[in-house]
Amino acid sequence: MRQIIAGNWKMNGKFSDIAPYAAALSSAGTPAAGAPVELIICPPFPLLQSFCAALKDSGASLGAQDCHANASGAHTGDVSAPLLAEAGARYVILGHSERRADHGETNADVAAKVRAALGAGLVPIVCCGESEAERDAGEAEHVVRHQLAHSLPPEFKGLVAYEPIWAIGTGRTPSEADVAAMHAAIRAALVAQFPATGAATPILYGGSVKPGNAAGLLALPEVGGALVGGASLNADDFLAIAAAALAS
Ligand code: PGA
Protein backbone atom coordinates (compact mmCIF):
# COMPACT_ATOMS: atom_id res chain seq x y z
CA MET A 1 0.00 0.00 0.00
CA ARG A 2 1.17 3.54 -0.78
CA GLN A 3 2.73 5.18 2.27
CA ILE A 4 2.49 8.88 3.02
CA ILE A 5 5.26 10.52 5.04
CA ALA A 6 4.34 14.04 6.14
CA GLY A 7 6.75 16.37 7.92
CA ASN A 8 5.23 18.83 10.38
CA TRP A 9 7.77 21.58 10.92
CA LYS A 10 5.55 23.27 13.53
CA MET A 11 6.90 26.74 14.46
CA ASN A 12 10.40 25.96 13.21
CA GLY A 13 12.42 26.76 10.13
CA LYS A 14 13.67 29.82 8.27
CA PHE A 15 13.83 30.93 4.67
CA SER A 16 17.50 29.97 4.58
CA ASP A 17 16.58 26.34 5.40
CA ILE A 18 14.50 25.88 2.26
CA ALA A 19 17.20 25.57 -0.41
CA PRO A 20 19.41 23.00 1.38
CA TYR A 21 16.38 20.96 2.46
CA ALA A 22 14.89 20.92 -1.04
CA ALA A 23 18.30 20.07 -2.51
CA ALA A 24 18.66 17.12 -0.13
CA LEU A 25 15.24 15.83 -1.15
CA SER A 26 15.97 16.25 -4.83
CA SER A 27 19.40 14.64 -4.70
CA ALA A 28 17.93 11.67 -2.82
CA GLY A 29 15.50 11.23 -5.70
CA THR A 30 12.28 12.08 -3.90
CA PRO A 31 9.64 9.61 -5.10
CA ALA A 32 7.54 11.00 -7.94
CA ALA A 33 3.76 11.09 -7.97
CA GLY A 34 2.43 7.55 -8.25
CA ALA A 35 5.47 6.08 -6.44
CA PRO A 36 4.89 3.91 -3.36
CA VAL A 37 5.87 6.73 -0.98
CA GLU A 38 4.56 10.29 -1.05
CA LEU A 39 6.44 13.00 0.85
CA ILE A 40 4.67 16.07 2.22
CA ILE A 41 6.40 19.01 3.90
CA CYS A 42 4.26 21.22 6.17
CA PRO A 43 6.28 24.36 7.02
CA PRO A 44 5.03 27.54 8.74
CA PHE A 45 2.74 29.70 6.55
CA PRO A 46 5.31 32.31 5.42
CA LEU A 47 7.60 29.63 3.97
CA LEU A 48 4.94 27.97 1.82
CA GLN A 49 5.34 29.86 -1.40
CA SER A 50 9.14 29.76 -1.48
CA PHE A 51 9.10 26.10 -0.50
CA CYS A 52 6.63 25.40 -3.29
CA ALA A 53 9.03 26.82 -5.87
CA ALA A 54 12.00 24.98 -4.36
CA LEU A 55 10.21 21.61 -4.36
CA LYS A 56 8.88 21.97 -7.90
CA ASP A 57 11.08 19.25 -9.40
CA SER A 58 11.28 17.01 -6.34
CA GLY A 59 7.96 15.16 -6.45
CA ALA A 60 7.29 16.17 -2.82
CA SER A 61 4.07 17.98 -1.91
CA LEU A 62 3.42 20.86 0.40
CA GLY A 63 0.99 21.17 3.29
CA ALA A 64 -0.04 23.84 5.78
CA GLN A 65 -0.48 23.35 9.53
CA ASP A 66 -3.91 24.95 10.00
CA CYS A 67 -6.53 27.06 8.24
CA HIS A 68 -9.47 29.21 9.25
CA ALA A 69 -13.00 27.95 8.78
CA ASN A 70 -13.97 31.01 6.71
CA ALA A 71 -12.68 31.91 3.27
CA SER A 72 -12.07 35.55 4.22
CA GLY A 73 -13.04 38.15 6.79
CA ALA A 74 -12.09 39.96 9.97
CA HIS A 75 -9.98 37.24 11.62
CA THR A 76 -6.70 38.86 12.59
CA GLY A 77 -3.76 36.51 12.42
CA ASP A 78 -5.61 33.66 10.70
CA VAL A 79 -5.07 32.28 7.20
CA SER A 80 -7.77 31.02 4.86
CA ALA A 81 -7.78 27.71 3.02
CA PRO A 82 -8.07 29.31 -0.45
CA LEU A 83 -4.97 31.43 0.26
CA LEU A 84 -3.04 28.34 1.36
CA ALA A 85 -4.00 26.64 -1.88
CA GLU A 86 -2.87 29.70 -3.81
CA ALA A 87 0.48 29.62 -1.95
CA GLY A 88 1.02 26.06 -3.18
CA ALA A 89 -0.33 23.84 -0.39
CA ARG A 90 -2.11 20.63 -1.41
CA TYR A 91 -2.66 19.39 2.15
CA VAL A 92 -3.51 20.96 5.49
CA ILE A 93 -3.04 19.49 8.97
CA LEU A 94 -6.17 20.12 11.07
CA GLY A 95 -7.00 19.46 14.70
CA HIS A 96 -3.41 18.86 15.81
CA SER A 97 -3.33 18.41 19.58
CA GLU A 98 -1.14 21.53 19.86
CA ARG A 99 -3.87 23.56 18.11
CA ARG A 100 -6.51 21.95 20.33
CA ALA A 101 -4.44 22.75 23.46
CA ASP A 102 -2.95 26.16 22.54
CA HIS A 103 -6.01 27.59 20.79
CA GLY A 104 -8.87 25.72 22.44
CA GLU A 105 -9.97 24.14 19.18
CA THR A 106 -12.97 21.89 19.60
CA ASN A 107 -14.05 18.97 17.44
CA ALA A 108 -16.72 21.25 15.94
CA ASP A 109 -14.05 23.84 15.06
CA VAL A 110 -12.02 21.12 13.38
CA ALA A 111 -15.04 19.91 11.39
CA ALA A 112 -15.66 23.47 10.16
CA LYS A 113 -12.03 23.75 9.08
CA VAL A 114 -12.25 20.41 7.27
CA ARG A 115 -15.21 21.78 5.29
CA ALA A 116 -13.24 24.92 4.46
CA ALA A 117 -10.21 22.90 3.36
CA LEU A 118 -12.30 20.67 1.11
CA GLY A 119 -14.01 23.72 -0.33
CA ALA A 120 -10.62 25.13 -1.30
CA GLY A 121 -9.49 21.86 -2.87
CA LEU A 122 -7.07 21.01 -0.05
CA VAL A 123 -6.68 17.51 1.37
CA PRO A 124 -7.17 17.60 5.15
CA ILE A 125 -4.95 15.57 7.48
CA VAL A 126 -7.14 15.35 10.58
CA CYS A 127 -5.39 14.54 13.86
CA CYS A 128 -6.77 12.59 16.77
CA GLY A 129 -5.22 11.05 19.87
CA GLU A 130 -5.60 10.54 23.58
CA SER A 131 -3.77 12.04 26.56
CA GLU A 132 -1.70 9.86 28.85
CA ALA A 133 -4.36 10.05 31.58
CA GLU A 134 -7.01 8.89 29.10
CA ARG A 135 -4.84 5.94 28.02
CA ASP A 136 -4.11 5.01 31.64
CA ALA A 137 -7.84 5.07 32.34
CA GLY A 138 -8.49 2.66 29.45
CA GLU A 139 -10.35 5.39 27.55
CA ALA A 140 -8.03 5.81 24.55
CA GLU A 141 -10.18 4.16 21.88
CA HIS A 142 -13.34 5.79 23.20
CA VAL A 143 -11.69 9.24 23.12
CA VAL A 144 -10.38 8.78 19.58
CA ARG A 145 -13.72 7.44 18.28
CA HIS A 146 -15.45 10.47 19.79
CA GLN A 147 -12.95 12.84 18.15
CA LEU A 148 -13.45 11.20 14.75
CA ALA A 149 -17.24 11.21 15.07
CA HIS A 150 -17.27 14.95 15.76
CA SER A 151 -14.21 16.25 13.84
CA LEU A 152 -15.03 14.64 10.49
CA PRO A 153 -18.05 16.11 8.68
CA PRO A 154 -20.13 13.88 6.37
CA GLU A 155 -18.33 15.18 3.28
CA PHE A 156 -14.88 14.31 4.70
CA LYS A 157 -12.31 12.98 2.27
CA GLY A 158 -8.65 13.00 3.24
CA LEU A 159 -6.25 11.50 5.75
CA VAL A 160 -6.45 10.75 9.45
CA ALA A 161 -3.40 10.92 11.73
CA TYR A 162 -3.40 9.08 15.06
CA GLU A 163 -1.10 10.97 17.40
CA PRO A 164 -1.18 10.00 21.08
CA ILE A 165 -0.55 13.34 22.83
CA TRP A 166 1.90 11.82 25.31
CA ALA A 167 4.08 10.51 22.46
CA ILE A 168 4.46 13.88 20.71
CA GLY A 169 7.96 15.28 21.11
CA THR A 170 8.70 13.02 24.07
CA GLY A 171 10.71 10.23 22.46
CA ARG A 172 8.09 7.78 23.77
CA THR A 173 5.81 5.73 21.53
CA PRO A 174 3.04 3.26 22.25
CA SER A 175 3.93 -0.40 21.81
CA GLU A 176 3.53 -1.69 18.28
CA ALA A 177 0.60 -3.80 19.55
CA ASP A 178 -1.10 -0.67 20.92
CA VAL A 179 -0.57 1.23 17.66
CA ALA A 180 -1.98 -1.70 15.67
CA ALA A 181 -4.99 -1.97 17.99
CA MET A 182 -5.75 1.75 17.74
CA HIS A 183 -5.36 1.81 13.96
CA ALA A 184 -7.74 -1.15 13.69
CA ALA A 185 -10.23 0.72 15.87
CA ILE A 186 -9.88 3.85 13.73
CA ARG A 187 -10.36 1.82 10.54
CA ALA A 188 -13.54 0.28 11.95
CA ALA A 189 -14.82 3.73 12.96
CA LEU A 190 -14.06 5.19 9.51
CA VAL A 191 -15.78 2.32 7.71
CA ALA A 192 -18.86 2.76 9.90
CA GLN A 193 -18.88 6.55 9.47
CA PHE A 194 -18.02 6.61 5.74
CA PRO A 195 -19.20 3.39 4.10
CA ALA A 196 -18.06 4.50 0.63
CA THR A 197 -14.55 5.75 1.48
CA GLY A 198 -13.66 4.66 5.02
CA ALA A 199 -11.84 1.48 3.98
CA ALA A 200 -9.41 3.44 1.81
CA THR A 201 -8.75 6.48 4.03
CA PRO A 202 -5.02 6.51 4.88
CA ILE A 203 -4.35 6.44 8.64
CA LEU A 204 -0.95 7.89 9.57
CA TYR A 205 0.79 7.33 12.90
CA GLY A 206 2.46 10.32 14.57
CA GLY A 207 4.37 10.85 17.81
CA SER A 208 8.17 10.49 18.11
CA VAL A 209 8.62 8.76 14.76
CA LYS A 210 12.37 8.55 14.12
CA PRO A 211 14.64 6.71 11.68
CA GLY A 212 15.19 4.05 14.37
CA ASN A 213 11.54 3.13 14.97
CA ALA A 214 9.95 3.98 11.61
CA ALA A 215 10.34 0.57 9.97
CA GLY A 216 8.54 -1.23 12.80
CA LEU A 217 5.71 1.29 13.00
CA LEU A 218 5.19 1.58 9.24
CA ALA A 219 5.00 -2.19 8.80
CA LEU A 220 2.01 -2.47 11.13
CA PRO A 221 -1.40 -3.27 9.65
CA GLU A 222 -3.51 -0.18 8.87
CA VAL A 223 -0.54 2.19 9.29
CA GLY A 224 -0.55 4.09 6.01
CA GLY A 225 2.32 6.42 6.76
CA ALA A 226 3.68 8.79 9.38
CA LEU A 227 3.21 12.35 10.55
CA VAL A 228 6.69 13.35 11.67
CA GLY A 229 7.48 16.38 13.81
CA GLY A 230 11.00 16.84 15.19
CA ALA A 231 12.69 14.32 12.90
CA SER A 232 11.30 16.04 9.79
CA LEU A 233 13.43 19.13 10.43
CA ASN A 234 16.53 17.19 9.44
CA ALA A 235 16.39 16.18 5.76
CA ASP A 236 18.56 13.09 6.32
CA ASP A 237 16.32 11.83 9.13
CA PHE A 238 13.18 12.56 7.10
CA LEU A 239 14.60 10.69 4.11
CA ALA A 240 15.62 7.77 6.34
CA ILE A 241 11.99 7.54 7.50
CA ALA A 242 10.85 7.67 3.86
CA ALA A 243 13.29 4.87 3.06
CA ALA A 244 11.80 2.79 5.88
CA ALA A 245 8.38 3.40 4.32
CA LEU A 246 9.64 2.24 0.93
CA ALA A 247 10.90 -0.97 2.52
CA SER A 248 7.68 -1.67 4.47
P1 PGA B 1 7.08 14.54 16.96
O1 PGA B 1 5.75 15.34 16.54
O2 PGA B 1 7.45 13.65 15.79
O3 PGA B 1 8.10 15.59 17.22
O4 PGA B 1 6.73 13.72 18.16
C1 PGA B 1 4.73 14.72 15.79
C2 PGA B 1 3.60 15.69 15.55
O5 PGA B 1 3.23 16.43 16.47
O6 PGA B 1 3.05 15.75 14.45
Side-chain angles (χ1 to χ4, degrees):
M1 193 169 126
R2 184 174 167 77
Q3 295 266 0
I4 296 169
I5 308 296
N8 175 9
W9 278 27
K10 309 192 179 185
M11 201 173 72
N12 298 294
K14 316 182 284 297
F15 281 93
S16 58
D17 294 326
I18 294 174
Y21 197 91
L25 259 51
S26 300
S27 65
T30 304
V37 177
E38 174 166 6
L39 298 185
I40 306 169
I41 314 293
C42 304
F45 295 135
L47 301 190
L48 278 173
Q49 205 174 4
S50 304
F51 231 132
C52 185
L55 289 177
K56 197 160 44 72
D57 302 321
S58 74
S61 302
L62 215 56
Q65 299 174 13
D66 180 47
C67 70
H68 195 273
N70 293 350
S72 65
H75 303 290
T76 303
D78 283 312
V79 180
S80 73
L83 189 61
L84 295 173
E86 204 181 329
R90 271 191 62 206
Y91 294 86
V92 59
I93 299 170
L94 294 174
H96 191 283
S97 59
E98 288 154 14
R99 298 283 322 169
R100 293 177 189 259
D102 293 355
H103 300 271
E105 286 187 12
T106 64
N107 291 323
D109 295 331
V110 177
K113 291 177 177 208
V114 169
R115 287 195 185 92
L118 292 170
L122 296 173
V123 179
I125 304 173
V126 180
C127 301
C128 59
E130 81 285 358
S131 68
E132 185 155 33
E134 289 162 342
R135 175 155 288 271
D136 290 347
E139 292 291 309
E141 287 188 15
H142 170 77
V143 165
V144 167
R145 271 197 298 271
H146 184 267
Q147 286 173 333
L148 294 174
H150 295 89
S151 299
L152 303 178
E155 62 268 50
F156 170 71
K157 279 195 185 64
L159 284 56
V160 167
Y162 167 56
E163 297 205 308
I165 298 168
W166 52 274
I168 294 175
T170 60
R172 298 163 58 206
T173 56
S175 68
E176 292 182 358
D178 283 346
V179 173
M182 182 61 86
H183 278 241
I186 292 172
R187 174 65 67 212
L190 290 173
V191 168
Q193 212 173 326
F194 304 99
T197 57
T201 299
I203 308 169
L204 313 186
Y205 169 78
S208 294
V209 177
K210 311 273 180 222
N213 62 17
L217 290 164
L218 291 166
L220 295 171
E222 302 294 3
V223 174
L227 182 53
V228 185
S232 73
L233 295 171
N234 178 299
D236 290 340
D237 286 350
F238 192 58
L239 286 166
I241 293 167
L246 257 182
S248 72

